[in-house]
Amino acid sequence: IPVTAILITLLLTACSGTRPTTNSQPAVNSSAAANQQPIPTQPNTVSMDSMPGTEEFGMSKEELVQNIEAVEGYIAACMNEAGFEYVAVDYKTARQGMVADKSLPGLSEKQFFEQYGYGISTLYTGLDPQIADVTTPARIGLGADNLRIFNNLSPADQVAYNHTLFGEHSDATFATTLEAEDFSRTGGCTRAAIEQVFTPEQLTVTYFNPLDALIAQDPRMVAGLEAWSACMRDAGFDYNTPEDTEPDMKARLDAITQGAKIEDLSASEQAALAQLQGEERAVAVTDLNCGLQFVEPVAQQVERELLNQ
């Protein structure tokens, strides 16, 4: 996750909160798929008695690999029990989907932000990730085997397949939600598998990466984030923290589209979407510039100091 996505609100209570509810969460039962997909043992969760790791959710690299492999194994078992084929994605493929966030081949980060903003409303199609024209992080993280499986299904079975795998939001894949450190929109077998591996605290919408929490408590970072907010306001955007920007865009996109395909939107909805896309680009570029000036250098310095202690 970019350093500019650091939250300063409720630092000392960020790991508390209400567990989000989801739709369509089939139980994981490994017995039906025992001969097809081995179920890994659940890895150890991140210890809060030592310095957190630098990966998502404060994990070390080893813990990240273990958790990805465990979740993917549970997803495969759940899908197989529901009557669908799913190939557990390996760490390399999932990681490719994660790092593809806010990037496209041939574009620098700045160029991506200028053309696509955060890639939320600007890359929205309303299509399932497996058949979208744009090669999105969700599509990459699902892996070539699962794309092939999906595309060999009938249209009706594709709908059933994705509802079983994702629940209500087919864009909320494991790789993309892991990268965002936000599992709140996951459903189906993906959600059921995540619940087998991650802690209840990590599943809450208020969960805060423990390393980011340590960084954000530093007075230099507090000042840097205040300067970021002032920088955004000077450009006409009223956000208190960098973590407010993308959820705002997602909420506004959902309010306009309700998950419909672009071609099914009314003329007024398409006009509203175009307006949101323009604002998203402007907000993202300003966020990037303000973050590079006031947040990222400070965050990198504080992180180095913490990890060297």
Side-chain angles (χ1 to χ4, degrees), residues 42-240:
Q42 182 170 337
N44 294 329
T45 55
V46 177
S47 171
M48 295 305 295
D49 296 328
S50 59
M51 178 61 65
T54 59
E55 302 291 347
E56 284 72 19
F57 291 95
M59 290 183 285
S60 67
K61 176 67 174 293
E62 181 182 7
E63 289 166 333
L64 177 63
V65 173
Q66 290 176 338
N67 276 304
I68 287 175
E69 292 177 348
V71 169
E72 286 292 334
Y74 283 121
I75 292 175
C78 179
M79 290 293 288
N80 288 341
E81 175 147 356
F84 293 109
E85 182 183 2
Y86 180 91
V87 177
V89 172
D90 60 17
Y91 166 77
K92 181 180 179 181
T93 301
R95 189 64 170 176
Q96 288 174 339
M98 294 167 66
V99 301
D101 183 44
K102 299 175 183 60
S103 67
L104 283 176
L107 295 180
S108 66
E109 183 180 43
K110 181 180 180 182
Q111 290 171 328
F112 181 90
F113 275 55
E114 290 173 342
Q115 294 186 37
Y116 299 105
Y118 301 111
I120 297 171
S121 66
T122 56
L123 295 178
Y124 177 81
T125 63
L127 299 172
D128 292 326
Q130 297 97 325
I131 57 177
D133 293 334
V134 179
T135 302
T136 63
R139 182 183 177 92
I140 294 171
L142 288 170
D145 288 335
N146 292 317
L147 295 179
R148 173 186 52 78
I149 291 168
F150 178 86
N151 286 310
N152 285 335
L153 297 173
S154 68
D157 285 343
Q158 287 179 344
V159 173
Y161 181 96
N162 270 1
H163 191 267
T164 303
L165 179 57
F166 302 121
E168 301 302 319
H169 303 287
S170 62
D171 61 316
T173 66
F174 173 51
T176 58
T177 55
L178 176 59
E179 165 67 19
E181 295 182 333
D182 180 6
F183 296 132
S184 61
R185 296 176 72 249
T186 56
C189 286
T190 302
R191 177 68 179 200
I194 289 169
E195 289 180 342
Q196 296 290 318
V197 177
F198 288 83
T199 68
E201 290 76 21
Q202 291 168 331
L203 296 176
T204 63
V205 294
T206 54
Y207 181 84
F208 193 20
N209 185 308
L211 180 59
D212 288 348
L214 291 173
I215 295 172
Q217 292 179 65
D218 188 284
R220 292 167 293 178
M221 180 54 66
V222 173
L225 288 167
E226 290 174 348
W228 175 92
S229 183
C231 179
M232 294 292 289
R233 287 195 299 271
D234 289 343
F237 306 119
D238 188 14
Y239 291 103
N240 292 324

Side-chain angles (χ1 to χ4, degrees), residues 227-281:
W228 175 92
S229 183
C231 179
M232 294 292 289
R233 287 195 299 271
D234 289 343
F237 306 119
D238 188 14
Y239 291 103
N240 292 324
T241 76
E243 287 228 348
D244 292 339
T245 57
E246 293 190 48
D248 177 50
M249 295 298 162
K250 291 177 182 177
R252 292 166 64 183
L253 175 65
D254 287 344
I256 294 170
T257 65
Q258 298 294 317
K261 299 177 182 178
I262 285 184
E263 58 265 29
D264 295 333
L265 299 178
S266 66
S268 61
E269 289 170 337
Q270 291 192 19
L273 176 60
Q275 181 176 352
L276 177 62
Q277 289 170 340
E279 184 173 344
E280 180 182 334
R281 293 186 185 95

